[in-house]
Amino acid sequence: MSSTPLRYPQRFDLSGTQAVVTGGASGIGFESVRALAQCGARPILLDRDAAALERAQQKLRDEQVDAAIYTVDVTDPDAVRRVADEVIAKEGRVDTLVNSAGIARLNSVLETPDEEWRQVMDINVNGTFWVSRAFGKHMVAQRAGSIVNLGSMSGLIVNRPQTAASYMTSKGAVHMLTKALATEWAKDNVRVNALAPGYVGTEMTLAMRARPELFDVWMDMTPMGRCGEPSEIASAVVFLASSASSYMTGSIVSIDGGYTCW
């Protein structure tokens, strides 16, 4: 006989769990921290900007949220390994990992400096791999966990009118890495999924309103005609972290206002 099924509100309840979020000091990462915390998880923020981490921790304190913070550069595999071991030693376990750290650079292929290409790949792809491997090791050992990678609709389509081969390539790689990890760790009850957001109203995206030749095209190409809210992405993070998505792994979930329909 199966146990009594959870009531649906319980499926989204993350009480008693702990969630690590990279890039957790700002943008979608910080909003994901807030959403996970409001659903019961204790957040653990990772970011390379120590001052931003402290500001984020204070904001959370003001909201009566207890959060741990750790400074780490996700492009340094040794540092990532050390911080993962430190988190496990101090915090006990990690149930959810959200890989939100990432950057974007707009440049044509012929004008992309070598170092810019390497930096985008290093943060968006290598960083996601290093962090997933370091924390995934502990999830595999405990035979439970959910990893949520922040991909992008830019990993599914080619954006216009801007050119950004480095960013689009990196997010396509994050999507494939998601599938590879999902199939490898499924037998260990570790789920790995990715979100593919469209244009989201973070500070960085909204600053592009100063370039209407780009921003206006983005909005015109989005059927809903607006940017997404960070909370609309964070809500999906909660879903993928929770038992509500217990039969999902290896999925790339578009949240783009309909952009990829055209």
Side-chain angles (χ1 to χ4, degrees):
M1 292 288 292
S2 61
S3 59
T4 302
L6 290 174
R7 293 178 57 82
Y8 285 102
Q10 292 176 286
R11 291 188 176 276
F12 293 90
D13 184 4
L14 298 174
S15 298
T17 67
Q18 300 203 110
V20 166
V21 181
T22 72
S26 62
I28 292 172
F30 181 74
E31 194 62 32
S32 296
V33 166
R34 177 180 278 138
L36 291 162
Q38 288 183 12
C39 290
R42 179 171 182 266
I44 302 166
L45 286 64
L46 271 58
D47 205 289
R48 64 181 177 179
D49 187 335
L53 274 174
E54 290 178 1
R55 289 193 296 271
Q57 187 180 45
Q58 185 56 56
K59 286 181 186 176
L60 293 167
R61 283 198 191 107
D62 293 343
E63 298 173 12
Q64 286 73 55
V65 173
D66 170 42
I69 58 173
Y70 293 82
T71 305
V72 67
D73 180 351
V74 297
T75 69
D76 182 340
D78 291 331
V80 167
R81 189 178 299 110
R82 286 193 300 270
V83 82
D85 291 344
E86 183 181 1
V87 166
I88 295 299
K90 288 184 176 180
E91 315 298 341
R93 64 180 283 132
V94 169
D95 304 281
T96 301
L97 167 64
V98 181
N99 282 305
S100 184
I103 62 170
R105 297 291 182 265
L106 307 185
N107 239 326
S108 70
V109 169
L110 297 182
E111 294 175 342
T112 298
D114 295 348
E115 187 51 40
E116 180 177 290
W117 176 273
R118 292 191 183 102
Q119 183 187 38
V120 173
M121 293 298 159
D122 215 9
I123 294 174
N124 294 3
V125 183
N126 295 343
T128 299
F129 178 78
W130 305 138
V131 175
S132 295
R133 183 177 65 178
F135 285 98
K137 176 182 72 172
H138 297 287
M139 290 180 171
V140 167
Q142 70 193 18
R143 295 191 58 78
S146 176
I147 297 175
V148 184
N149 294 325
L150 264 293
S152 172
M153 70 175 185
S154 303
L156 302 170
I157 49 88
V158 175
N159 300 79
R160 70 181 184 91
Q162 76 274 25
T163 52
S166 60
Y167 182 73
M168 291 182 279
T169 301
S170 73
K171 291 304 185 178
V174 168
H175 294 173
M176 189 53 67
L177 175 60
T178 297
K179 292 175 179 290
L181 295 178
T183 56
E184 190 167 334
W185 291 342
K187 65 183 182 300
D188 299 303
N189 198 35
V190 177
R191 299 184 299 108
V192 189
N193 294 286
L195 298 176
Y199 294 108
V200 178
T202 61
E203 183 177 340
M204 181 173 63
T205 299
L206 293 178
M208 296 300 288
R209 288 179 294 192
R211 297 186 62 184
E213 75 278 9
L214 298 182
F215 192 85
D216 290 354
V217 173
W218 298 349
M219 295 302 97
D220 182 63
M221 292 186 67
T222 301
M224 292 183 73
R226 65 173 177 86
C227 285
E229 296 292 333
S231 61
E232 293 175 306
I233 311 304
S235 296
V237 169
V238 170
F239 169 65
L240 291 177
S242 74
S243 65
S245 61
S246 56
Y247 197 51
M248 286 180 67
T249 198
S251 295
I252 313 299
V253 182
S254 295
I255 311 176
D256 59 13
Y259 190 104
T260 52
C261 292
W262 286 342

